mmCIF file with all atom_site columns, all heavy atoms in Angstrom:
data_model
loop_
_atom_site.group_PDB
_atom_site.id
_atom_site.type_symbol
_atom_site.label_atom_id
_atom_site.label_alt_id
_atom_site.label_comp_id
_atom_site.label_asym_id
_atom_site.label_entity_id
_atom_site.label_seq_id
_atom_site.pdbx_PDB_ins_code
_atom_site.Cartn_x
_atom_site.Cartn_y
_atom_site.Cartn_z
_atom_site.occupancy
_atom_site.B_iso_or_equiv
_atom_site.pdbx_formal_charge
_atom_site.auth_seq_id
_atom_site.auth_comp_id
_atom_site.auth_asym_id
_atom_site.auth_atom_id
_atom_site.pdbx_PDB_model_num
ATOM 1  N N   . TYR Y 1 73 ? -9.144  56.481 7.107  1.00 0.00 ? 73 TYR Y N   1
ATOM 2  C CA  . TYR Y 1 73 ? -8.451  57.459 6.265  1.00 0.00 ? 73 TYR Y CA  1
ATOM 3  C C   . TYR Y 1 73 ? -8.693  57.188 4.783  1.00 0.00 ? 73 TYR Y C   1
ATOM 4  O O   . TYR Y 1 73 ? -8.780  58.118 3.985  1.00 0.00 ? 73 TYR Y O   1
ATOM 5  C CB  . TYR Y 1 73 ? -6.951  57.456 6.539  1.00 0.00 ? 73 TYR Y CB  1
ATOM 6  C CG  . TYR Y 1 73 ? -6.509  58.334 7.683  1.00 0.00 ? 73 TYR Y CG  1
ATOM 7  C CD1 . TYR Y 1 73 ? -5.182  58.376 8.059  1.00 0.00 ? 73 TYR Y CD1 1
ATOM 8  C CD2 . TYR Y 1 73 ? -7.412  59.111 8.398  1.00 0.00 ? 73 TYR Y CD2 1
ATOM 9  C CE1 . TYR Y 1 73 ? -4.758  59.169 9.108  1.00 0.00 ? 73 TYR Y CE1 1
ATOM 10 C CE2 . TYR Y 1 73 ? -7.001  59.908 9.449  1.00 0.00 ? 73 TYR Y CE2 1
ATOM 11 C CZ  . TYR Y 1 73 ? -5.676  59.931 9.796  1.00 0.00 ? 73 TYR Y CZ  1
ATOM 12 O OH  . TYR Y 1 73 ? -5.258  60.721 10.827 1.00 0.00 ? 73 TYR Y OH  1
ATOM 13 N N   . GLN Y 1 74 ? -8.810  55.935 4.413  1.00 0.00 ? 74 GLN Y N   1
ATOM 14 C CA  . GLN Y 1 74 ? -9.079  55.625 3.003  1.00 0.00 ? 74 GLN Y CA  1
ATOM 15 C C   . GLN Y 1 74 ? -10.430 56.158 2.582  1.00 0.00 ? 74 GLN Y C   1
ATOM 16 O O   . GLN Y 1 74 ? -10.600 56.607 1.453  1.00 0.00 ? 74 GLN Y O   1
ATOM 17 C CB  . GLN Y 1 74 ? -9.006  54.118 2.759  1.00 0.00 ? 74 GLN Y CB  1
ATOM 18 C CG  . GLN Y 1 74 ? -7.606  53.593 2.736  1.00 0.00 ? 74 GLN Y CG  1
ATOM 19 C CD  . GLN Y 1 74 ? -7.565  52.144 2.308  1.00 0.00 ? 74 GLN Y CD  1
ATOM 20 O OE1 . GLN Y 1 74 ? -8.510  51.606 1.751  1.00 0.00 ? 74 GLN Y OE1 1
ATOM 21 N NE2 . GLN Y 1 74 ? -6.449  51.504 2.579  1.00 0.00 ? 74 GLN Y NE2 1
ATOM 22 N N   . VAL Y 1 75 ? -11.406 56.112 3.477  1.00 0.00 ? 75 VAL Y N   1
ATOM 23 C CA  . VAL Y 1 75 ? -12.729 56.647 3.148  1.00 0.00 ? 75 VAL Y CA  1
ATOM 24 C C   . VAL Y 1 75 ? -12.629 58.147 2.908  1.00 0.00 ? 75 VAL Y C   1
ATOM 25 O O   . VAL Y 1 75 ? -13.209 58.682 1.971  1.00 0.00 ? 75 VAL Y O   1
ATOM 26 C CB  . VAL Y 1 75 ? -13.746 56.348 4.273  1.00 0.00 ? 75 VAL Y CB  1
ATOM 27 C CG1 . VAL Y 1 75 ? -15.078 57.032 4.007  1.00 0.00 ? 75 VAL Y CG1 1
ATOM 28 C CG2 . VAL Y 1 75 ? -13.937 54.852 4.419  1.00 0.00 ? 75 VAL Y CG2 1
ATOM 29 N N   . ILE Y 1 76 ? -11.861 58.822 3.746  1.00 0.00 ? 76 ILE Y N   1
ATOM 30 C CA  . ILE Y 1 76 ? -11.718 60.273 3.624  1.00 0.00 ? 76 ILE Y CA  1
ATOM 31 C C   . ILE Y 1 76 ? -11.004 60.648 2.330  1.00 0.00 ? 76 ILE Y C   1
ATOM 32 O O   . ILE Y 1 76 ? -11.389 61.585 1.658  1.00 0.00 ? 76 ILE Y O   1
ATOM 33 C CB  . ILE Y 1 76 ? -10.951 60.835 4.845  1.00 0.00 ? 76 ILE Y CB  1
ATOM 34 C CG1 . ILE Y 1 76 ? -11.804 60.677 6.097  1.00 0.00 ? 76 ILE Y CG1 1
ATOM 35 C CG2 . ILE Y 1 76 ? -10.560 62.296 4.623  1.00 0.00 ? 76 ILE Y CG2 1
ATOM 36 C CD1 . ILE Y 1 76 ? -11.054 60.943 7.393  1.00 0.00 ? 76 ILE Y CD1 1
ATOM 37 N N   . THR Y 1 77 ? -9.979  59.897 1.958  1.00 0.00 ? 77 THR Y N   1
ATOM 38 C CA  . THR Y 1 77 ? -9.173  60.281 0.802  1.00 0.00 ? 77 THR Y CA  1
ATOM 39 C C   . THR Y 1 77 ? -9.706  59.788 -0.533 1.00 0.00 ? 77 THR Y C   1
ATOM 40 O O   . THR Y 1 77 ? -9.338  60.317 -1.563 1.00 0.00 ? 77 THR Y O   1
ATOM 41 C CB  . THR Y 1 77 ? -7.730  59.771 0.952  1.00 0.00 ? 77 THR Y CB  1
ATOM 42 O OG1 . THR Y 1 77 ? -7.747  58.347 1.059  1.00 0.00 ? 77 THR Y OG1 1
ATOM 43 C CG2 . THR Y 1 77 ? -7.062  60.365 2.165  1.00 0.00 ? 77 THR Y CG2 1
ATOM 44 N N   . ASP Y 1 78 ? -10.578 58.768 -0.537 1.00 0.00 ? 78 ASP Y N   1
ATOM 45 C CA  . ASP Y 1 78 ? -11.007 58.271 -1.845 1.00 0.00 ? 78 ASP Y CA  1
ATOM 46 C C   . ASP Y 1 78 ? -12.494 58.422 -2.117 1.00 0.00 ? 78 ASP Y C   1
ATOM 47 O O   . ASP Y 1 78 ? -13.008 57.857 -3.058 1.00 0.00 ? 78 ASP Y O   1
ATOM 48 C CB  . ASP Y 1 78 ? -10.567 56.821 -2.045 1.00 0.00 ? 78 ASP Y CB  1
ATOM 49 C CG  . ASP Y 1 78 ? -11.348 55.823 -1.215 1.00 0.00 ? 78 ASP Y CG  1
ATOM 50 O OD1 . ASP Y 1 78 ? -12.214 56.228 -0.422 1.00 0.00 ? 78 ASP Y OD1 1
ATOM 51 O OD2 . ASP Y 1 78 ? -11.097 54.639 -1.349 1.00 0.00 ? 78 ASP Y OD2 1
#
Side-chain angles (χ1 to χ4, degrees):
Y73 274 178
Q74 285 188 16
V75 174
I76 293 169
T77 60
D78 72 357

